[in-house]
C-alpha cells in the first residue's frame, strides 16, 4: 500500500509518529493509501528547517524568487494530468472539474510571478525639507497553512505561492483525506529550483494543527475549513500572538428574480449547487425564488436534477462524482432525512442511487427541496453535499433580509435583468463575494478571496493584493542626510517643515 509521508527540508521524511490515516478512493470505496499522522516533534523539526531557510530566502531578490516560481508554473502545466488524477482519486470530483480547480490554483502561481511589482513599496521625496520617507513590505518568517479536503490543490495554492513569493518560508498541513496532490506540488517546486526548507509539508490531524498553534517561531497562520475549526484556529493563533486568517463554512444563496432569464438561472444553479457534488465553499445551496417564479424554477430544475449523470470522476460522461468519504455520505443523507422530518418538500430524492460496478463508492444523487423555511436546520446549517433548498419569498427586500440575517456570508448571487436590482443587491448585501448573473463569483487570482460574518475570522482575504498584505509587514522609514549642520535636540512633536 502507498504510504504518504512528510516533506521536510527538501526530502521525504518518515517522522517520529507511526499513527496513520486511511485514504480511500471515493469512486470505489477501496483504501488505496495511508498517510502518516505527524507529531509535535515532526512539526517542530519542519519549522526549525524553515526558519534556517528563511535567513537566506528572505534575502533572495524578488525577481529571482519570481523566476523559480515561473519554473514551478511551467512544471504544474506539464504535470497537470497527473495532478488532476491525484485529485480525482482521493477527492472524487470529476476530471474536468478537478482540472479547473488546479487551474484556479495555477493562476495564483501566475500572479505570484509578478511579485517584484507588488513589493515595490512607496516613496515620497521631501516629506520635510531634505527629508525622504518610504514604505516597504518585509516577509514575516515561517508561515503555516492548514487546508480542507475539498480543494486539495487550489486552496493550498491560495497560500504557499504567495507566502513564498513574499520571501517567507512555509509549512503546510494538508487535509489528511487527500494529501497526495500537495506532496506532488512540493516535489515540483523543488524541481523548479526552490531551496530546501522553503516549502515543507507535515501531514497529520489535530496534533499537528495544535503544534502549529503553539509553535513560537510561526508568526502567521492561514486556515481554510469548517467554521467551528476556523474559530478555534482564530482564537488560539491570536492567543499565541500570531497573525491569522481563518476561512470557514458557508451557506450561499442565489436569488432568482421574476424578470430573470430563467434558463440561464437554472443552468447556473445546476452547476453551482451540484458541481463537485456540492462540496464547494462557494456552492449555491439555497435558491431564493422571488415572487411568482418558484413553480417554474422548481419545475425546470427538478427535471435537470433527475437526469444528472452521477458516476466515477474518471468517467468522462459523469457530471457529478461521489462524496469524499463514507462518513460524509452518511452525514449528507442524514440531512436529507432531517429535511423531510422538518416538513420541507423533497422534490427529487437522490439517497438511494446505486451504480453498477461501483456499489461501494460514496455516491448520492442530486436532491432538491422546495418550501424550505428559515427556521429549518437544513436551511441554517452547511450540508456540503448535492442538496439544493428552494426558499420562496414575496419580494426583493425579503430576499435581501433573508441573506443578511444568515450567520454565513461567503458568496451569493442574483439573477435579474434589472440593473437597479443588481446594483442595490451588490451594495446592500452583507456577503464577501457577489455575483450578478454569475453563479459562482470566485474572484480571480489578482483580486482576493474571502467571505464575511462567520465565513471568515480575521481581517485579510486570501491571494491577490490581500495575500501580499497578509504575508508581509509594513515598515516605513523616514531619513535625512545632514549636510554638516548639526541640529539641536527637539522636544516637541515633529511637524514637517
Ligand atoms: P475541517 O474543518 O474538518 O478540516 C479543515 C482542516 O482542519 C483539516 O486540515 C483538518 O485536518 C483540520 N482539523 C479538523 N478537525 C480539527 C480539530 N478538531 N482541531 C484542529 N484541526 C482540525 O474541514 P473539511 O471538512 O476538510 O472541509 C470542508 C469545510 O471547509 C466546509 O465547511 C467548507 O465550507 C470549508 N471551506 C471553506 C472555504 C472558504 O474559502 N471559506 C474553502 C473551502 C472549504
Amino acid at each position: 500500500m502507498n504510504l504518504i509521508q512528510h516533506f521536510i527540508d527538501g526530502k521525504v521524511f518518515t517522522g517520529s509518529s507511526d499513527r496513520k490515516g486511511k485514504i480511500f478512493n471515493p469512486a470505489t470505496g477501496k483504501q488505496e493509501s495511508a498517510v502518516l499522522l505527524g507529531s509535535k516533534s515532526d512539526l517542530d523539526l519542519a519549522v526549525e528547517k524553515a526558519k534556517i531557510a528563511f535567513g537566506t530566502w528572505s534575502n533572495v531578490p524578488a525577481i529571482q524568487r519570481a523566476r523559480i516560481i515561473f519554473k514551478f508554473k511551467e512544471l504544474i502545466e506539464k504535470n497537470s494530468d497527473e495532478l488532476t488524477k491525484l485529485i480525482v482519486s482521493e477527492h472524487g470530483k470529476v476530471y474536468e472539474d478537478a482540472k479547473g480547480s488546479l487551474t484556479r490554483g495555477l493562476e495564483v502561481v501566475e500572479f505570484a510571478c509578478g511579485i517584484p511589482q507588488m513589493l515595490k513599496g512607496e516613496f515620497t521625496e521631501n516629506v520635510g525639507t531634505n527629508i525622504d520617507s518610504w514604505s516597504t513590505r518585509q516577509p514575516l518568517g515561517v508561515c503555516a497553512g492548514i487546508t480542507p479536503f475539498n480543494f486539495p490543490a487550489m486552496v493550498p495554492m491560495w497560500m504557499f505561492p504567495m507566502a513564498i513569493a513574499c520571501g517567507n518560508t512555509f509549512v503546510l498541513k494538508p487535509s489528511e483525506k487527500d494529501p497526495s496532490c500537495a506532496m506532488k506540488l512540493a516535489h515540483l517546486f523543488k524541481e523548479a529550483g526552490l531551496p530546501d526548507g522553503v516549502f515543507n509539508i507535515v501531514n497529520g490531524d489535530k496534533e499537528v494543527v495544535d503544534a502549529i498553534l503553539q509553535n513560537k517561531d510561526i508568526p502567521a497562520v492561514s486556515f481554510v475549513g469548517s467554521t467551528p475549526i476556523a474559530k478555534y484556529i482564530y482564537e488560539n493563533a491570536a492567543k499565541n500572538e500570531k497573525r491569522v486568517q481563518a476561512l470557514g463554512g458557508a451557506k450561499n444563496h442565489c436569488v432568482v428574480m421574476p424578470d430573470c432569464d430563467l434558463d440561464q438561472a437554472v443552468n447556473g444553479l445546476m452547476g453551482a449547487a451540484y458541481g463537485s457534488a456540492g462540496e464547494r465553499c462557494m456552492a449555491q445551496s439555497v435558491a431564493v425564488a422571488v415572487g411568482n417564479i418558484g413553480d417554474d424554477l422548481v419545475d425546470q430544475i427538478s427535471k435537470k436534477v433527475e437526469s444528472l449523470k452521477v458516476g466515477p470522476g474518471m468517467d468522462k460522461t459523469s457530471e457529478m462524482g461521489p462524496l469524499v468519504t463514507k462518513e460524509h455520505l452518511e452525514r449528507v443523507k442524514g440531512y436529507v432525512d432531517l429535511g423531510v422530518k422538518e416538513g420541507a418538500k423533497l422534490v427529487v430524492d437522490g439517497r438511494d442511487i446505486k451504480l453498477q460496478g461501483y456499489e461501494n463508492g460514496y455516491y448520492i444523487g442530486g436532491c432538491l427541496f422546495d418550501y424550505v423555511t428559515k427556521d429549518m436546520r437544513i436551511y441554517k446549517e452547511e450540508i456540503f453535499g448535492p442538496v439544493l433548498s428552494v426558499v420562496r419569498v414575496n419580494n426583493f427586500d425579503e430576499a435581501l433580509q433573508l441573506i443578511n440575517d444568515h450567520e454565513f456570508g461567503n458568496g451569493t448571487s442574483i439573477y435579474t435583468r434589472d440593473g437597479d436590482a443588481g446594483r442595490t443587491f451588490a451594495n446592500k448585501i452583507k456577503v464577501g463575494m457577489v455575483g450578478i448573473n454569475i453563479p459562482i463569483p470566485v474572484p480571480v487570482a489578482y483580486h482576493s478571496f474571502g467571505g464575511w460574518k462567520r465565513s471568515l475570522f480575521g481581517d485579510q482575504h486570501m491571494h491577490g493584493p490581500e495575500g501580499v498584505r497578509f504575508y508581509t509587514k509594513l515598515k516605513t522609514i523616514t531619513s535625512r542626510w545632514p549636510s554638516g549642520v548639526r541640529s539641536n535636540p527637539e522636544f516637541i512633536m515633529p511637524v514637517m517643515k
Side-chain angles (χ1 to χ4, degrees):
M1 174 147 328
N2 177 35
L3 179 66
I4 300 157
Q5 305 181 62
H6 313 296
F7 188 86
I8 298 176
D9 203 22
K11 293 167 259 315
V12 172
F13 180 76
T14 310
S16 64
S17 158
D18 55 8
R19 283 195 312 126
K20 292 188 188 81
K22 294 178 179 177
I23 296 176
F24 298 88
N25 184 332
T28 59
K30 260 200 222 129
Q31 186 188 347
E32 289 183 355
S33 319
V35 59
L36 287 176
L37 300 175
S39 64
K40 182 175 183 309
S41 64
D42 298 331
L43 184 277
D44 289 345
L45 177 74
V47 175
E48 201 183 302
K49 298 292 180 189
K51 197 176 166 188
I52 295 167
F54 178 74
T56 313
W57 183 246
S58 56
N59 286 310
V60 171
I63 187 71
Q64 287 178 29
R65 297 200 296 258
R67 285 186 187 128
I68 293 173
I69 295 167
F70 195 87
K71 284 201 186 114
F72 180 46
K73 168 192 127 63
E74 291 177 325
L75 286 171
I76 295 170
E77 286 163 346
K78 209 166 125 198
N79 290 272
S80 77
D81 181 57
E82 185 184 343
L83 288 161
T84 303
K85 284 178 178 155
L86 287 173
I87 300 173
V88 176
S89 68
E90 294 182 351
H91 177 282
K93 62 179 87 184
V94 299
Y95 183 90
E96 286 302 323
D97 183 37
K99 197 166 175 197
S101 71
L102 178 70
T103 304
R104 293 307 292 262
L106 177 65
E107 286 169 8
V108 179
V109 178
E110 285 169 350
F111 177 76
C113 291
I115 201 66
Q117 168 72 10
M118 298 298 295
L119 293 178
K120 256 185 350 195
E122 293 176 328
F123 186 94
T124 309
E125 193 177 36
N126 275 342
V127 291
T129 308
N130 293 335
I131 299 178
D132 303 327
S133 191
W134 71 97
S135 299
T136 177
R137 303 205 71 97
Q138 295 191 335
L140 309 173
V142 183
C143 300
I146 301 157
T147 53
F149 80 81
N150 68 322
F151 285 110
M154 184 182 80
V155 171
M157 286 156 96
W158 285 352
M159 303 174 182
F160 73 82
M162 293 301 306
I164 288 172
C166 289
N168 301 285
T169 54
F170 203 86
V171 178
L172 175 71
K173 203 296 289 171
S175 169
E176 62 275 42
K177 295 182 183 122
D178 46 16
S180 291
C181 196
M183 288 295 282
K184 177 72 190 175
L185 288 170
H187 285 282
L188 292 179
F189 218 164
K190 181 181 162 96
E191 196 183 326
L194 191 74
D196 291 349
V198 175
F199 182 42
N200 309 275
I201 296 181
V202 181
N203 283 301
D205 53 12
K206 183 171 168 49
E207 188 172 333
V208 175
V209 172
D210 286 341
I212 288 174
L213 295 174
Q214 284 153 20
N215 191 298
K216 296 248 179 304
D217 288 322
I218 296 178
V221 177
S222 301
F223 172 88
V224 176
S226 60
T227 288
I229 312 299
K231 186 165 185 289
Y232 173 80
I233 302 286
Y234 180 65
E235 289 172 352
N236 286 285
K239 197 161 79 191
N240 290 317
E241 300 174 11
K242 299 179 195 310
R243 178 179 290 202
V244 55
Q245 49 180 184
L247 279 61
K251 194 80 180 176
N252 305 314
H253 297 64
C254 177
V255 177
V256 184
M257 294 295 286
D259 69 338
C260 76
D261 177 330
L262 191 57
D263 283 350
Q264 252 190 30
V266 167
N267 285 332
L269 262 168
M270 282 303 298
Y274 301 101
S276 198
E279 291 171 320
R280 289 183 184 142
C281 63
M282 288 293 274
Q284 297 283 5
S285 49
V286 182
V288 186
V290 178
N292 58 8
I293 199 136
D295 289 349
D296 287 345
L297 176 69
V298 171
D299 181 54
Q300 289 203 23
I301 246 185
S302 60
K303 288 185 190 126
K304 294 210 180 222
V305 181
E306 272 158 5
S307 60
L308 251 182
K309 174 108 179 46
V310 181
M314 286 309 295
D315 179 340
K316 288 255 149 73
T317 65
S318 300
E319 292 169 320
M320 194 172 94
L323 291 176
V324 67
T325 57
K326 194 161 191 281
E327 294 71 32
H328 191 52
L329 174 65
E330 292 312 320
R331 186 172 170 273
V332 172
K333 280 186 179 172
Y335 269 111
V336 182
D337 299 344
L338 176 69
V340 174
K341 270 197 216 123
E342 291 185 307
K345 181 177 171 196
L346 185 56
V347 183
V348 184
D349 182 358
R351 282 175 294 185
D352 289 327
I353 194 168
K354 290 272 173 304
L355 291 187
Q356 219 183 357
Y358 294 93
E359 288 79 4
N360 296 321
Y362 313 136
Y363 299 94
I364 180 169
C367 298
L368 177 66
F369 278 114
D370 196 3
Y371 297 105
V372 174
T373 56
K374 62 181 186 182
D375 51 306
M376 293 179 184
R377 275 184 55 204
I378 58 159
Y379 171 72
K380 292 194 263 193
E381 297 172 19
E382 181 181 45
I383 299 174
F384 223 53
V387 184
L388 178 65
S389 294
V390 177
V391 178
R392 295 176 181 236
V393 298
N394 293 314
N395 53 44
F396 174 81
D397 288 340
E398 267 184 42
L400 202 67
Q401 193 63 45
L402 181 80
I403 301 170
N404 284 348
D405 286 346
H406 204 285
E407 70 167 305
F408 297 123
N410 215 38
T412 188
S413 58
I414 185 168
Y415 275 86
T416 183
R417 285 192 172 105
D418 178 350
D420 182 44
R423 190 183 180 282
T424 307
F425 185 75
N427 180 252
K428 301 267 182 247
I429 206 74
K430 293 177 183 159
V431 172
M433 294 170 281
V434 183
I436 302 174
N437 298 315
I438 298 283
I440 313 181
V442 175
V444 291
Y446 40 96
H447 286 260
S448 301
F449 183 106
W452 284 15
K453 298 190 269 184
R454 301 190 82 234
S455 292
L456 191 157
F457 300 92
D459 300 318
Q460 253 124 20
H461 291 197
M462 287 202 178
H463 67 68
E466 289 269 282
V468 175
R469 282 191 278 273
F470 183 78
Y471 289 121
T472 55
K473 53 192 169 189
L474 187 69
K475 184 180 277 179
T476 304
I477 299 127
T478 306
S479 84
R480 168 166 58 192
W481 294 101
S483 50
V485 186
R486 297 278 170 258
S487 54
N488 293 324
E490 287 179 11
F491 299 102
I492 53 166
M493 185 72 184
V495 178
M496 295 302 179
K497 292 178 198 133

